[in-house]
Amino acid sequence: MAKKKIANIPFGPYIAVLAGATVAGKPNYATLGAYGVVSQQPVLYISLKNTHHTTAGVIENGFFSVNIPAAAAIAKTDYCGIVSGRETDKSGLFEAFYDEAGNAPLIKECPVNYLCKVIRTIPIFDFTMFLGEIVAAYADEDCLDGGQPDALKVSPTVMMAAGYFDLKDRIGSVFKAGRGADAGSGPPQDNP
Ligand SMILES: Cc1cc2nc3c(=O)[nH]c(=O)nc-3n(C[C@H](O)[C@H](O)[C@H](O)COP(=O)(O)O)c2cc1C
């Protein structure tokens, strides 16, 4: 298949998450694609535009939450990325709960929740990347498999380009999918 050069902008995939922060005493939420891990340490990053209402809350308290919404909650997830808490009160959209480790709202309706303490901030153009140590994590009991969140039960939303997608199948196991080939027969071959 021939390769074609495309625009120098990232098209994904990303998981859509809801970042939560307390802003002037109220919970506020923003939809983010710029979220991820930085190593195997319990640290997450989020990258927030400096003018967002949520950004002010993260700076004010030094804590943020990352909540993984189920794909079924796509309307509320998208809505939190359309309206700003500066003009529209989003505090009643979800049932918030809190952990004693820090002041940021966690979203009851989201199957997985992380509470993070800001340990570093990195300015990126007109955004700030907040690196946060996970100080508490929660998951819905019915989404767990062997004590860990199960991807298909959590059912996150994947974004790519301008589309939202859900997960369909598990296609392999980490550190196992590459070991299928017989020893000595070279690297494994994927089906075309
Ligand atoms: C799918 C999606 C992904 C988004 N990703 C980001 C992001 O990674 N970083 C960011 O700063 N804003 C992102 N936004 C925009 C904010 O969610 C949006 O501006 C929101 O209204 C900010 O709310 P706030 O001002 O109440 O914090 C995204 C929006 C959508 C719909």
Side-chain angles (χ1 to χ4, degrees):
M1 176 74 70
K3 281 281 183 191
K4 187 166 166 51
K5 264 201 152 185
I6 59 172
N8 289 353
I9 51 170
F11 290 96
Y14 323 99
I15 300 293
V17 302
L18 289 165
T22 302
V23 192
K26 274 188 169 181
N28 192 67
Y29 312 100
T31 312
L32 301 186
Y35 135 88
V37 293
V38 289
S39 73
Q40 278 188 320
Q41 298 300 320
V43 173
L44 294 176
Y45 78 86
I46 57 171
S47 205
L48 276 171
K49 200 167 183 179
N50 295 336
T51 50
H52 286 349
H53 201 55
T54 310
T55 313
V58 178
I59 292 168
E60 183 188 336
N61 296 288
F63 287 90
F64 63 86
S65 69
V66 172
N67 305 275
I68 314 287
I74 191 61
K76 277 191 180 181
T77 302
D78 193 52
Y79 178 76
C80 284
I82 296 171
V83 300
S84 173
R86 273 181 279 105
E87 293 99 28
T88 307
D89 185 357
K90 293 186 261 186
S91 64
L93 266 185
F94 303 103
E95 187 178 338
F97 69 100
Y98 293 84
D99 185 276
E100 63 197 13
N103 184 7
L106 298 145
I107 299 177
K108 188 125 189 263
E109 292 91 328
C110 291
V112 178
N113 320 90
Y114 302 102
L115 175 65
C116 298
K117 176 180 169 41
V118 175
I119 54 169
R120 194 165 301 178
T121 58
I122 302 171
I124 311 269
F125 303 109
D126 53 342
F127 283 71
T128 301
M129 188 174 176
F130 296 97
L131 275 74
E133 182 180 352
I134 300 172
V135 291
Y138 291 85
D140 288 358
E141 278 183 345
D142 61 0
C143 288
L144 294 175
D145 187 12
Q148 290 191 335
D150 177 273
L152 293 177
K153 289 178 184 165
V154 172
S155 182
T157 294
V158 178
M159 292 186 278
M160 190 153 188
Y164 291 121
F165 304 84
D166 57 12
L167 291 189
K168 201 162 75 56
D169 292 318
R170 179 176 175 127
I171 60 162
S173 296
V174 176
F175 295 135
K176 289 186 182 159
R179 295 190 197 274
D182 290 339
S185 63
Q189 301 295 319
D190 289 318
N191 293 326

